[in-house]
Amino acid sequence: MRVLAFDTATAACTVAVVDGGRVLAELTLQVPRAHSTRLMPLIAQALREAGMERRDLDAIAVGVGPGSFTGLRIGLATAKGLALALDIPVVPVSTLAAAAYGTGAQTGLVVPLFDAKRDQVFTAVYAAGDRDPSTWAELLGPANLHVDELAEQVRSLRAGRDDTRQFVTLCGDAAEVHAARLGLGPAVRCAAPGALLPRGSAVAALGLSLLERGGAVAPDALAPVYLRKSEAESLWEKRKSPSAP
């Protein structure tokens, strides 16, 4: 199964081309607010390096967030357009799950933390498995939480498991900032710098696993995971409120 995978929900614009379990090409750029001009050239370059053309693809896997509203719109619009043009299935992949899986952790809990401003994060909690994504367990689904609330959740989940002596691996752009606030001391470790943000190869691995379990959707059904309203929407609602000055 030849899959093109990409994610644009974070500061990383990341693309991979895989054939089954083999990564043929992977390219990642960390250039915030430039995904609209970088994504298609990265896709073209990744296909060239993989020795493929678009018509050779069997499926597309795309990160659906949570993350940047603008980045998500760019990624999902590109995935829909390519899938429709090529008449191939598209697989939605959680950006949080891809970031967690991409850490390479094989034991303990894995917690992605992406900055959502005002001491809040986009997050989830996973129990690490092996390199087969289906062996990973989601213990806390995608959520927008205050860091202190997340800390309580992590401590509670960890106390209820038999691996409390194992590490809690953090990833995401807010991992290093908030690591100490989880209150777990040396049990907490951050992923390597190159594994903090989601990578195309992780999106591809999760996408392939979902494909095998019937996780593909029609391009028109592809939708982003928004855990809160955009600042523009919130401002508009505030202005429309009867109590607004």
Side-chain angles (χ1 to χ4, degrees), residues 111-129:
V111 184
L113 292 86
F114 287 94
D115 185 27
K117 309 301 182 186
R118 301 183 181 90
D119 257 6
Q120 297 193 6
V121 290
F122 297 132
T123 188
V125 179
Y126 302 91

Side-chain angles (χ1 to χ4, degrees), residues 9 22 35 106 116 144 236:
R22 191 161 56 104
H35 296 346
Q106 296 185 19
N144 181 189
W236 172 254

Side-chain angles (χ1 to χ4, degrees), residues 21 34 57 78 97 102 124 137 165 171 175 180 200 226:
L57 295 170
T78 301
R165 294 187 180 181
C171 59
Y226 290 146

Side-chain angles (χ1 to χ4, degrees), residues 13 28 36 55 89 102 105 109 136 149 158 184 198-199 202 207 224-225 227 240:
C13 184
T28 301
S36 61
R55 63 173 179 266
L109 303 183
W136 285 59
E149 184 180 355
R158 193 165 178 264
L184 296 174
R199 297 182 63 116
V225 174
L227 296 181
K240 295 285 288 184

Side-chain angles (χ1 to χ4, degrees), residues 77-212:
T78 301
K80 288 179 181 180
L82 289 172
L84 286 169
L86 299 171
D87 192 25
I88 56 177
V90 60
V91 189
V93 174
S94 165
T95 296
L96 297 172
Y101 180 82
T103 64
Q106 296 185 19
T107 186
L109 303 183
V110 186
V111 184
L113 292 86
F114 287 94
D115 185 27
K117 309 301 182 186
R118 301 183 181 90
D119 257 6
Q120 297 193 6
V121 290
F122 297 132
T123 188
V125 179
Y126 302 91
D130 57 31
R131 289 296 80 196
D132 177 357
S134 68
T135 63
W136 285 59
E138 183 181 82
L139 305 183
L140 174 67
N144 181 189
L145 298 177
H146 190 279
V147 176
D148 294 339
E149 184 180 355
L150 172 63
E152 291 180 10
Q153 294 268 14
V154 172
R155 289 195 294 266
S156 176
L157 287 168
R158 193 165 178 264
R161 295 174 57 81
D162 59 3
D163 58 357
T164 54
R165 294 187 180 181
Q166 295 178 359
F167 286 112
V168 175
T169 302
L170 306 183
C171 59
D173 59 12
E176 296 175 340
V177 174
H178 296 307
R181 293 180 64 174
L182 294 188
L184 296 174
V188 172
R189 63 181 180 184
C190 290
L196 286 171
L197 301 182
R199 297 182 63 116
S201 55
V203 176
L206 270 63
L208 280 166
S209 180
L210 289 167
L211 269 172
E212 293 171 356

